[in-house]
Amino acid sequence: MAATHEARAPGAAVPAPDFDAIIIGAGMSGMYQLHRLRQQGLRVRVFEAGTGVGGTWYWNRYPGARFDSESYSYGYSFSQELLEEWDWSEHFAGQPETLRYLNHVADKFDLRRDIQFRSLVTAAIWVEDTRSWTITLQDGSQFRARFLITAIGPLSAPTLPRIEGVDSFKGQSFHTARWPHEPVDFTGKRVAVIGTGATGVQTIQTIAGSVGHLTVFQRTPNWCAPLHNGKIDAETQSRIKAGYPEMFRRCQETFACFIHTPDPRGTFEVSDDEREAFFEKLYAERGFGIWQGNFRDILIDRKANALISDFVARKIRQRVKDPQIAEKLIPGNHGFGTRRLPLETFYYEVYNRDNVELVDITETPIERITPEGIKTSDREFEFDIIIYATGFDAITGSFDKIDLRGANGARLKDRWKSGPETFLGVMVDGFPNMLMLMGPHTALGNIPRSIEYNVDWVTGLLSYARETGLTRVEATPSGVASWTDHVKALGVGMLSNEVNSWMTGINSNVEGKQTRIVARYSGSAPAYRARCDEVTAQRYQELALA
Ligand code: NA7
């Protein structure tokens, strides 16, 4: 379908589209955005590819999928009633519980009546003369909306490895993010897992005890730290609920919205003994403390980073009995915390089991997937099940999958060929009336906290447009250029931006994604919000409004 480019005749009325807003995706951001816009009296439709709500928590049903952020800090904060009525059973809830929670939210706020499931959006085209977006679904049906809101998630386009023969395997095979809804029986099975990121780690530690034999194919080891999950008892539950206002306030103040705050001290400002004791304390604590609550300089100072890396390496050596396997599990090409930290529960001990084997595919590369299993440069393995924990075409991948065209038919994919360009991570010049939730260049961190802010900001803009009769809002080229430069400048000096990972836009399985880009906002969440608030306070004068 071609976009219409003629300008509207001056003074001509803009025809009303089918909806005020169309939201793509019914995950955490799409659900909350729907709720907020309906509160404003807008006509909204959500299109969702899956058969239910939940996004990430709908798709990622692999064994052991769970939060790495404390459950209570991860839920929605906008409804006091919801906070009071929902009891999280564990400090880090598993995927089934999280999905139940999101379904509860959908029921409570009667969201489903405006969500159309099994509806994959394949194209979104801006039509200038009607000032609206035409959205096309996979079945060919089309809908028009004044505003297009993408709620498609930074980690929602799974990628299979580009290895010859992937389709030839005769056993069962699954990508972790496309896990079947029915349970998979591992009893006595010969299972392979390819990939050792956060997902691979959770999968491996969960299935090792129930499979017949497990072979882990590792390309790059990741630094992992203990999750220390636990049940929440009644007393703790009451304490958590009473402490919600304080906890959410704290999340607003921290760098990345986690409940953990960096220690104000530098790594070298304490004695060796004090430092070691502090690392020990963090290693024994729940969650991301060792990553987000560590000395303030571990993610920017190479020498500081080397010390925490050395500490965790020693832990791995203590926990893994075979010294050669331990060495294979210790990352050599990046420092602790410079990739997203997988949290684990007896992950390293898995490699002490007789039924588990680690294959380092940097030494013996996978040559192909065969009908029977996997062939490496030195062996042929036979498997009943292959699990691909090979990650996502992150951040921009879910945009690339939609034929998304703005003014003059320009394609977003082409525009972002050398990396995303945005204003506040929410808008792009040339793509009027398109608002992105958790798009590139926004503060990710503890994502639901960022989602709530992002959604509220977008809601504010749409309310303003409605009140003032605006039918076209667009970022300016200079606004986009200066925000993009700002985001790039913020990334300088962050060790994580010098490492290949999904956070720097690298995916070996996707053509054209082998060069690092700055896709993430790496400043502080409070600074991000302050900048967005400034735009609001100036009544959006930094945008082109009409
Ligand atoms: P990640 O963190 O991107 O991990 C993917 C893993 O798969 C990683 O170990 C990759 O090795 C490995 N991989 C990818 N392609 C291949 C091929 N072709 N051959 C061998 N190994 C491969 O994805 P996750 O799903 O674990 O986590 C993503 C985020 O979701 C996570 O950070 C949380 O925020 C939630 P590599 O490191 O590229 O050498």
Side-chain angles (χ1 to χ4, degrees), residues 155 161-163 194-200 219-220 222 339-340 361 389-392 502 508-509:
L155 292 157
R162 287 197 292 186
I163 304 175
I194 302 180
T196 50
T199 301
R219 187 164 66 185
T220 313
N222 283 296
R339 289 172 137 201
R340 198 287 207 171
I361 57 172
T390 44
F392 302 87
W502 66 260
S508 65
N509 306 308

PDB file of all heavy atoms in Angstrom, residues 155 161-163 194-200 219-220 222 339-340 361 389-392 502 508-509, ligand 1:
ATOM      1  N   LEU A 155      12.684  -6.332  23.820  1.00  0.00           N
ATOM      2  CA  LEU A 155      13.196  -7.707  23.685  1.00  0.00           C
ATOM      3  C   LEU A 155      12.050  -8.616  23.289  1.00  0.00           C
ATOM      4  O   LEU A 155      11.563  -9.427  24.078  1.00  0.00           O
ATOM      5  CB  LEU A 155      13.808  -8.162  25.024  1.00  0.00           C
ATOM      6  CG  LEU A 155      15.088  -7.431  25.439  1.00  0.00           C
ATOM      7  CD1 LEU A 155      15.312  -7.505  26.929  1.00  0.00           C
ATOM      8  CD2 LEU A 155      16.295  -7.987  24.700  1.00  0.00           C
ATOM      9  N   PRO A 161      19.655 -19.067  15.802  1.00  0.00           N
ATOM     10  CA  PRO A 161      21.029 -18.922  15.292  1.00  0.00           C
ATOM     11  C   PRO A 161      21.083 -19.136  13.791  1.00  0.00           C
ATOM     12  O   PRO A 161      20.300 -19.916  13.237  1.00  0.00           O
ATOM     13  CB  PRO A 161      21.794 -20.028  16.027  1.00  0.00           C
ATOM     14  CG  PRO A 161      20.778 -20.989  16.492  1.00  0.00           C
ATOM     15  CD  PRO A 161      19.498 -20.220  16.677  1.00  0.00           C
ATOM     16  N   ARG A 162      22.010 -18.420  13.174  1.00  0.00           N
ATOM     17  CA  ARG A 162      22.222 -18.651  11.737  1.00  0.00           C
ATOM     18  C   ARG A 162      23.210 -19.814  11.607  1.00  0.00           C
ATOM     19  O   ARG A 162      24.401 -19.604  11.404  1.00  0.00           O
ATOM     20  CB  ARG A 162      22.781 -17.392  11.097  1.00  0.00           C
ATOM     21  CG  ARG A 162      21.733 -16.297  10.958  1.00  0.00           C
ATOM     22  CD  ARG A 162      22.162 -15.239   9.987  1.00  0.00           C
ATOM     23  NE  ARG A 162      23.301 -14.468  10.503  1.00  0.00           N
ATOM     24  CZ  ARG A 162      23.806 -13.399   9.897  1.00  0.00           C
ATOM     25  NH1 ARG A 162      23.293 -12.991   8.769  1.00  0.00           N
ATOM     26  NH2 ARG A 162      24.812 -12.750  10.426  1.00  0.00           N
ATOM     27  N   ILE A 163      22.687 -21.001  11.823  1.00  0.00           N
ATOM     28  CA  ILE A 163      23.535 -22.197  11.694  1.00  0.00           C
ATOM     29  C   ILE A 163      22.860 -23.088  10.654  1.00  0.00           C
ATOM     30  O   ILE A 163      21.644 -23.265  10.693  1.00  0.00           O
ATOM     31  CB  ILE A 163      23.637 -22.970  13.036  1.00  0.00           C
ATOM     32  CG1 ILE A 163      24.150 -22.065  14.176  1.00  0.00           C
ATOM     33  CG2 ILE A 163      24.556 -24.187  12.884  1.00  0.00           C
ATOM     34  CD1 ILE A 163      24.151 -22.734  15.554  1.00  0.00           C
ATOM     35  N   ILE A 194      21.528 -24.028  23.562  1.00  0.00           N
ATOM     36  CA  ILE A 194      22.497 -23.122  22.922  1.00  0.00           C
ATOM     37  C   ILE A 194      22.225 -21.734  23.474  1.00  0.00           C
ATOM     38  O   ILE A 194      21.105 -21.215  23.353  1.00  0.00           O
ATOM     39  CB  ILE A 194      22.358 -23.124  21.388  1.00  0.00           C
ATOM     40  CG1 ILE A 194      22.547 -24.550  20.840  1.00  0.00           C
ATOM     41  CG2 ILE A 194      23.367 -22.159  20.751  1.00  0.00           C
ATOM     42  CD1 ILE A 194      22.424 -24.660  19.318  1.00  0.00           C
ATOM     43  N   GLY A 195      23.226 -21.126  24.089  1.00  0.00           N
ATOM     44  CA  GLY A 195      23.064 -19.772  24.629  1.00  0.00           C
ATOM     45  C   GLY A 195      23.134 -19.763  26.139  1.00  0.00           C
ATOM     46  O   GLY A 195      22.502 -20.588  26.814  1.00  0.00           O
ATOM     47  N   THR A 196      23.921 -18.825  26.668  1.00  0.00           N
ATOM     48  CA  THR A 196      24.116 -18.743  28.116  1.00  0.00           C
ATOM     49  C   THR A 196      23.947 -17.300  28.609  1.00  0.00           C
ATOM     50  O   THR A 196      24.710 -16.811  29.437  1.00  0.00           O
ATOM     51  CB  THR A 196      25.514 -19.283  28.505  1.00  0.00           C
ATOM     52  OG1 THR A 196      26.490 -18.643  27.670  1.00  0.00           O
ATOM     53  CG2 THR A 196      25.594 -20.786  28.335  1.00  0.00           C
ATOM     54  N   GLY A 197      22.951 -16.588  28.043  1.00  0.00           N
ATOM     55  CA  GLY A 197      22.570 -15.275  28.579  1.00  0.00           C
ATOM     56  C   GLY A 197      21.630 -15.491  29.763  1.00  0.00           C
ATOM     57  O   GLY A 197      21.508 -16.606  30.293  1.00  0.00           O
ATOM     58  N   ALA A 198      20.942 -14.436  30.175  1.00  0.00           N
ATOM     59  CA  ALA A 198      20.045 -14.520  31.332  1.00  0.00           C
ATOM     60  C   ALA A 198      19.017 -15.643  31.150  1.00  0.00           C
ATOM     61  O   ALA A 198      18.689 -16.371  32.094  1.00  0.00           O
ATOM     62  CB  ALA A 198      19.336 -13.182  31.530  1.00  0.00           C
ATOM     63  N   THR A 199      18.540 -15.804  29.915  1.00  0.00           N
ATOM     64  CA  THR A 199      17.533 -16.830  29.638  1.00  0.00           C
ATOM     65  C   THR A 199      18.133 -18.225  29.704  1.00  0.00           C
ATOM     66  O   THR A 199      17.551 -19.129  30.318  1.00  0.00           O
ATOM     67  CB  THR A 199      16.949 -16.590  28.223  1.00  0.00           C
ATOM     68  OG1 THR A 199      16.376 -15.289  28.183  1.00  0.00           O
ATOM     69  CG2 THR A 199      15.900 -17.619  27.883  1.00  0.00           C
ATOM     70  N   GLY A 200      19.282 -18.399  29.056  1.00  0.00           N
ATOM     71  CA  GLY A 200      19.939 -19.702  29.061  1.00  0.00           C
ATOM     72  C   GLY A 200      20.239 -20.139  30.494  1.00  0.00           C
ATOM     73  O   GLY A 200      19.991 -21.286  30.871  1.00  0.00           O
ATOM     74  N   ARG A 219      29.032 -19.966  23.889  1.00  0.00           N
ATOM     75  CA  ARG A 219      29.960 -19.197  23.054  1.00  0.00           C
ATOM     76  C   ARG A 219      30.707 -18.188  23.926  1.00  0.00           C
ATOM     77  O   ARG A 219      31.912 -18.075  23.873  1.00  0.00           O
ATOM     78  CB  ARG A 219      29.205 -18.493  21.927  1.00  0.00           C
ATOM     79  CG  ARG A 219      30.118 -17.821  20.931  1.00  0.00           C
ATOM     80  CD  ARG A 219      29.407 -17.482  19.646  1.00  0.00           C
ATOM     81  NE  ARG A 219      28.368 -16.466  19.840  1.00  0.00           N
ATOM     82  CZ  ARG A 219      27.549 -16.063  18.887  1.00  0.00           C
ATOM     83  NH1 ARG A 219      27.640 -16.588  17.674  1.00  0.00           N
ATOM     84  NH2 ARG A 219      26.631 -15.143  19.112  1.00  0.00           N
ATOM     85  N   THR A 220      29.930 -17.431  24.705  1.00  0.00           N
ATOM     86  CA  THR A 220      30.539 -16.439  25.602  1.00  0.00           C
ATOM     87  C   THR A 220      29.988 -16.661  27.009  1.00  0.00           C
ATOM     88  O   THR A 220      28.768 -16.592  27.199  1.00  0.00           O
ATOM     89  CB  THR A 220      30.164 -15.003  25.169  1.00  0.00           C
ATOM     90  OG1 THR A 220      30.363 -14.870  23.768  1.00  0.00           O
ATOM     91  CG2 THR A 220      30.961 -13.959  25.916  1.00  0.00           C
ATOM     92  N   ASN A 222      28.889 -15.579  30.686  1.00  0.00           N
ATOM     93  CA  ASN A 222      28.482 -14.303  31.288  1.00  0.00           C
ATOM     94  C   ASN A 222      28.770 -14.320  32.778  1.00  0.00           C
ATOM     95  O   ASN A 222      28.736 -15.374  33.410  1.00  0.00           O
ATOM     96  CB  ASN A 222      26.983 -14.080  31.055  1.00  0.00           C
ATOM     97  CG  ASN A 222      26.717 -13.621  29.641  1.00  0.00           C
ATOM     98  OD1 ASN A 222      27.151 -12.543  29.233  1.00  0.00           O
ATOM     99  ND2 ASN A 222      26.044 -14.453  28.862  1.00  0.00           N
ATOM    100  N   ARG A 339      27.658  -6.464  30.757  1.00  0.00           N
ATOM    101  CA  ARG A 339      26.493  -6.960  30.027  1.00  0.00           C
ATOM    102  C   ARG A 339      25.401  -7.091  31.080  1.00  0.00           C
ATOM    103  O   ARG A 339      25.681  -7.051  32.273  1.00  0.00           O
ATOM    104  CB  ARG A 339      26.771  -8.326  29.419  1.00  0.00           C
ATOM    105  CG  ARG A 339      27.742  -8.282  28.260  1.00  0.00           C
ATOM    106  CD  ARG A 339      28.086  -9.691  27.876  1.00  0.00           C
ATOM    107  NE  ARG A 339      28.103  -9.847  26.427  1.00  0.00           N
ATOM    108  CZ  ARG A 339      27.969 -11.010  25.815  1.00  0.00           C
ATOM    109  NH1 ARG A 339      27.791 -12.129  26.504  1.00  0.00           N
ATOM    110  NH2 ARG A 339      28.001 -11.085  24.506  1.00  0.00           N
ATOM    111  N   ARG A 340      24.179  -7.298  30.632  1.00  0.00           N
ATOM    112  CA  ARG A 340      23.081  -7.444  31.590  1.00  0.00           C
ATOM    113  C   ARG A 340      23.391  -8.664  32.468  1.00  0.00           C
ATOM    114  O   ARG A 340      23.647  -9.747  31.961  1.00  0.00           O
ATOM    115  CB  ARG A 340      21.775  -7.610  30.808  1.00  0.00           C
ATOM    116  CG  ARG A 340      20.525  -7.351  31.576  1.00  0.00           C
ATOM    117  CD  ARG A 340      20.195  -8.430  32.557  1.00  0.00           C
ATOM    118  NE  ARG A 340      18.762  -8.505  32.803  1.00  0.00           N
ATOM    119  CZ  ARG A 340      18.191  -9.456  33.482  1.00  0.00           C
ATOM    120  NH1 ARG A 340      18.904 -10.418  34.018  1.00  0.00           N
ATOM    121  NH2 ARG A 340      16.896  -9.453  33.639  1.00  0.00           N
ATOM    122  N   ILE A 361      32.055 -23.563  22.479  1.00  0.00           N
ATOM    123  CA  ILE A 361      32.039 -23.573  21.003  1.00  0.00           C
ATOM    124  C   ILE A 361      32.988 -22.529  20.402  1.00  0.00           C
ATOM    125  O   ILE A 361      33.053 -22.386  19.189  1.00  0.00           O
ATOM    126  CB  ILE A 361      30.610 -23.440  20.424  1.00  0.00           C
ATOM    127  CG1 ILE A 361      29.915 -22.180  20.907  1.00  0.00           C
ATOM    128  CG2 ILE A 361      29.795 -24.686  20.734  1.00  0.00           C
ATOM    129  CD1 ILE A 361      28.587 -21.919  20.214  1.00  0.00           C
ATOM    130  N   ALA A 389      18.387 -20.666  23.303  1.00  0.00           N
ATOM    131  CA  ALA A 389      18.283 -19.518  24.227  1.00  0.00           C
ATOM    132  C   ALA A 389      19.147 -18.415  23.633  1.00  0.00           C
ATOM    133  O   ALA A 389      20.021 -17.859  24.294  1.00  0.00           O
ATOM    134  CB  ALA A 389      18.753 -19.914  25.624  1.00  0.00           C
ATOM    135  N   THR A 390      18.895 -18.152  22.352  1.00  0.00           N
ATOM    136  CA  THR A 390      19.825 -17.328  21.570  1.00  0.00           C
ATOM    137  C   THR A 390      19.426 -15.856  21.474  1.00  0.00           C
ATOM    138  O   THR A 390      19.982 -15.123  20.668  1.00  0.00           O
ATOM    139  CB  THR A 390      19.985 -17.930  20.151  1.00  0.00           C
ATOM    140  OG1 THR A 390      18.684 -18.307  19.658  1.00  0.00           O
ATOM    141  CG2 THR A 390      20.871 -19.158  20.183  1.00  0.00           C
ATOM    142  N   GLY A 391      18.461 -15.443  22.267  1.00  0.00           N
ATOM    143  CA  GLY A 391      18.219 -14.009  22.428  1.00  0.00           C
ATOM    144  C   GLY A 391      17.363 -13.362  21.352  1.00  0.00           C
ATOM    145  O   GLY A 391      16.615 -14.031  20.618  1.00  0.00           O
ATOM    146  N   PHE A 392      17.522 -12.053  21.259  1.00  0.00           N
ATOM    147  CA  PHE A 392      16.579 -11.222  20.506  1.00  0.00           C
ATOM    148  C   PHE A 392      17.310 -10.239  19.589  1.00  0.00           C
ATOM    149  O   PHE A 392      18.418  -9.816  19.882  1.00  0.00           O
ATOM    150  CB  PHE A 392      15.727 -10.397  21.484  1.00  0.00           C
ATOM    151  CG  PHE A 392      14.956 -11.250  22.457  1.00  0.00           C
ATOM    152  CD1 PHE A 392      15.525 -11.660  23.658  1.00  0.00           C
ATOM    153  CD2 PHE A 392      13.669 -11.662  22.156  1.00  0.00           C
ATOM    154  CE1 PHE A 392      14.824 -12.459  24.546  1.00  0.00           C
ATOM    155  CE2 PHE A 392      12.950 -12.456  23.041  1.00  0.00           C
ATOM    156  CZ  PHE A 392      13.529 -12.856  24.239  1.00  0.00           C
ATOM    157  N   TRP A 502      23.331  -7.409  23.406  1.00  0.00           N
ATOM    158  CA  TRP A 502      22.093  -6.871  22.846  1.00  0.00           C
ATOM    159  C   TRP A 502      21.937  -5.399  23.209  1.00  0.00           C
ATOM    160  O   TRP A 502      21.304  -4.631  22.493  1.00  0.00           O
ATOM    161  CB  TRP A 502      20.869  -7.702  23.273  1.00  0.00           C
ATOM    162  CG  TRP A 502      20.508  -7.683  24.734  1.00  0.00           C
ATOM    163  CD1 TRP A 502      20.798  -8.640  25.661  1.00  0.00           C
ATOM    164  CD2 TRP A 502      19.757  -6.668  25.430  1.00  0.00           C
ATOM    165  NE1 TRP A 502      20.290  -8.292  26.888  1.00  0.00           N
ATOM    166  CE2 TRP A 502      19.638  -7.084  26.776  1.00  0.00           C
ATOM    167  CE3 TRP A 502      19.175  -5.452  25.059  1.00  0.00           C
ATOM    168  CZ2 TRP A 502      18.969  -6.327  27.745  1.00  0.00           C
ATOM    169  CZ3 TRP A 502      18.516  -4.705  26.030  1.00  0.00           C
ATOM    170  CH2 TRP A 502      18.420  -5.144  27.335  1.00  0.00           C
ATOM    171  N   SER A 508      24.578 -11.530  16.305  1.00  0.00           N
ATOM    172  CA  SER A 508      25.321 -12.242  15.253  1.00  0.00           C
ATOM    173  C   SER A 508      24.378 -12.946  14.286  1.00  0.00           C
ATOM    174  O   SER A 508      24.803 -13.370  13.217  1.00  0.00           O
ATOM    175  CB  SER A 508      26.267 -13.260  15.888  1.00  0.00           C
ATOM    176  OG  SER A 508      25.519 -14.268  16.546  1.00  0.00           O
ATOM    177  N   ASN A 509      23.112 -13.086  14.680  1.00  0.00           N
ATOM    178  CA  ASN A 509      22.173 -13.828  13.842  1.00  0.00           C
ATOM    179  C   ASN A 509      21.342 -12.943  12.920  1.00  0.00           C
ATOM    180  O   ASN A 509      20.440 -13.424  12.247  1.00  0.00           O
ATOM    181  CB  ASN A 509      21.246 -14.658  14.746  1.00  0.00           C
ATOM    182  CG  ASN A 509      22.051 -15.533  15.690  1.00  0.00           C
ATOM    183  OD1 ASN A 509      22.924 -16.258  15.246  1.00  0.00           O
ATOM    184  ND2 ASN A 509      21.797 -15.428  16.984  1.00  0.00           N
TER     185      ASN A 509
HETATM  186  P1  NA7 B   1      21.112 -12.795  25.297  1.00  0.00           P
HETATM  187  O1  NA7 B   1      21.515 -12.176  26.568  1.00  0.00           O
HETATM  188  O2  NA7 B   1      21.290 -12.018  24.054  1.00  0.00           O
HETATM  189  O3  NA7 B   1      21.883 -14.182  25.182  1.00  0.00           O
HETATM  190  C1  NA7 B   1      21.870 -14.945  24.015  1.00  0.00           C
HETATM  191  C2  NA7 B   1      22.841 -16.088  24.166  1.00  0.00           C
HETATM  192  O4  NA7 B   1      22.820 -16.897  23.000  1.00  0.00           O
HETATM  193  C3  NA7 B   1      24.275 -15.617  24.341  1.00  0.00           C
HETATM  194  O5  NA7 B   1      24.931 -16.506  25.202  1.00  0.00           O
HETATM  195  C4  NA7 B   1      24.816 -15.735  22.910  1.00  0.00           C
HETATM  196  O6  NA7 B   1      26.200 -15.862  22.840  1.00  0.00           O
HETATM  197  C5  NA7 B   1      24.137 -16.997  22.466  1.00  0.00           C
HETATM  198  N1  NA7 B   1      24.037 -17.103  21.016  1.00  0.00           N
HETATM  199  C6  NA7 B   1      23.352 -16.302  20.176  1.00  0.00           C
HETATM  200  N2  NA7 B   1      23.491 -16.716  18.912  1.00  0.00           N
HETATM  201  C7  NA7 B   1      24.295 -17.791  18.949  1.00  0.00           C
HETATM  202  C8  NA7 B   1      24.819 -18.645  17.955  1.00  0.00           C
HETATM  203  N3  NA7 B   1      24.530 -18.456  16.664  1.00  0.00           N
HETATM  204  N4  NA7 B   1      25.622 -19.651  18.331  1.00  0.00           N
HETATM  205  C9  NA7 B   1      25.902 -19.838  19.639  1.00  0.00           C
HETATM  206  N5  NA7 B   1      25.446 -19.068  20.628  1.00  0.00           N
HETATM  207  C10 NA7 B   1      24.648 -18.050  20.287  1.00  0.00           C
HETATM  208  O7  NA7 B   1      19.583 -13.245  25.330  1.00  0.00           O
HETATM  209  P2  NA7 B   1      18.718 -13.735  26.568  1.00  0.00           P
HETATM  210  O8  NA7 B   1      17.428 -14.229  26.022  1.00  0.00           O
HETATM  211  O9  NA7 B   1      19.500 -14.659  27.426  1.00  0.00           O
HETATM  212  O10 NA7 B   1      18.484 -12.449  27.414  1.00  0.00           O
HETATM  213  C11 NA7 B   1      17.994 -11.257  26.822  1.00  0.00           C
HETATM  214  C12 NA7 B   1      17.456 -10.367  27.885  1.00  0.00           C
HETATM  215  O11 NA7 B   1      16.133 -10.791  28.220  1.00  0.00           O
HETATM  216  C13 NA7 B   1      18.178 -10.402  29.186  1.00  0.00           C
HETATM  217  O12 NA7 B   1      19.316  -9.626  29.190  1.00  0.00           O
HETATM  218  C14 NA7 B   1      17.122  -9.920  30.140  1.00  0.00           C
HETATM  219  O13 NA7 B   1      17.063  -8.511  30.137  1.00  0.00           O
HETATM  220  C15 NA7 B   1      15.864 -10.487  29.597  1.00  0.00           C
HETATM  221  P3  NA7 B   1      27.127 -14.530  22.668  1.00  0.00           P
HETATM  222  O14 NA7 B   1      27.096 -13.867  24.007  1.00  0.00           O
HETATM  223  O15 NA7 B   1      26.483 -13.690  21.599  1.00  0.00           O
HETATM  224  O16 NA7 B   1      28.444 -15.044  22.275  1.00  0.00           O
END
